[in-house]
Amino acid sequence: LKEKNPLGTAGSLHLLEKFNITKPIILVNADVLSDINYKSFLNYHVKNNADMTIATYLHREKKEFGIIETKSNKVLEFKEKPTFMININSGIYILNLKCIKSKVSKKKFVDMPDLIKPILKNKKVFSYPIYEDWHDVGSKFKLAEVRRKYKKI
């Protein structure tokens, strides 16, 4: 597929219309590396009769500072450099093209959040937790970090 102008991750999906695709497609952001089991991921999507399935990754985020919760300047709680576990979007999706037809146009830039938000209102969207290795390599620093890690293997 070739874009004449940048259309965003979701905006370029309209280019697939000419292929008459009726089965779900797997979409992976270019800056993601993962050992996800795509067969299990697809089976999960089909089993749930989903319109879209978003692979999620449990991310550990350690805060650099202590966090203080207050109300009217009264300290209610103090947590010293807490660690939060949050589900993040892994940048790996399965979607049925029929559910996006009215959401993307031929000349409009559309990124995945712009596509997902309206689909959540009236379509079946599932989360698929991944436990396999997952890396965002969207920056030079993160790419170098992953290269160092895999050099050791």
Side-chain angles (χ1 to χ4, degrees):
L1 298 176
K2 189 169 184 173
E3 300 171 323
K4 291 180 183 174
N5 296 306
L7 297 171
T9 303
S12 61
L13 292 173
H14 85 275
L15 298 171
L16 295 173
E17 288 175 1
K18 64 183 175 186
F19 296 106
N20 240 0
I21 298 170
T22 57
K23 294 185 178 184
I25 64 163
I26 296 174
L27 176 67
V28 181
N29 290 357
D31 60 354
V32 168
L33 290 176
S34 177
D35 291 334
I36 185 173
N37 182 324
Y38 286 100
K39 185 175 182 179
S40 294
F41 185 31
L42 183 58
N43 287 341
Y44 178 86
H45 176 82
V46 171
K47 180 182 119 198
N48 286 292
N49 197 28
D51 293 303
M52 175 184 277
T53 304
I54 304 168
T56 58
Y57 185 76
L58 194 57
H59 176 70
R60 174 185 294 258
E61 188 173 304
K62 180 147 178 74
K63 293 297 178 187
E64 184 178 353
F65 305 102
I67 294 179
I68 297 175
E69 186 180 327
T70 62
K71 184 174 183 179
S72 302
N73 293 334
K74 184 176 188 293
V75 174
L76 303 175
E77 191 170 355
F78 179 87
K79 296 177 185 174
E80 181 59 22
K81 299 178 183 174
T83 298
F84 297 97
M85 300 301 285
I86 53 174
N87 273 319
I88 62 167
N89 172 11
S90 72
I92 305 171
Y93 315 87
I94 296 179
L95 55 140
N96 300 337
L97 289 178
K98 67 178 188 234
C99 81
I100 65 162
K101 284 194 189 241
S102 63
K103 315 283 188 289
V104 296
S105 69
K106 294 182 180 180
K107 296 181 181 176
K108 189 176 175 195
F109 186 94
V110 182
D111 254 334
M112 288 308 286
D114 304 320
L115 174 67
I116 294 168
K117 287 176 187 174
I119 288 176
L120 285 173
K121 292 178 184 172
N122 59 5
K123 299 290 183 185
K124 290 173 70 174
V125 180
F126 282 83
S127 163
Y128 178 81
I130 58 174
Y131 304 101
E132 297 88 354
D133 227 10
W134 177 88
H135 302 279
D136 172 352
V137 292
S139 70
K140 288 180 181 181
F141 173 76
K142 288 180 181 178
L143 179 59
E145 193 175 81
V146 169
R147 282 181 173 159
R148 279 192 301 279
K149 177 183 176 180
Y150 282 99
K151 240 183 204 177
K152 294 176 185 176
I153 296 175

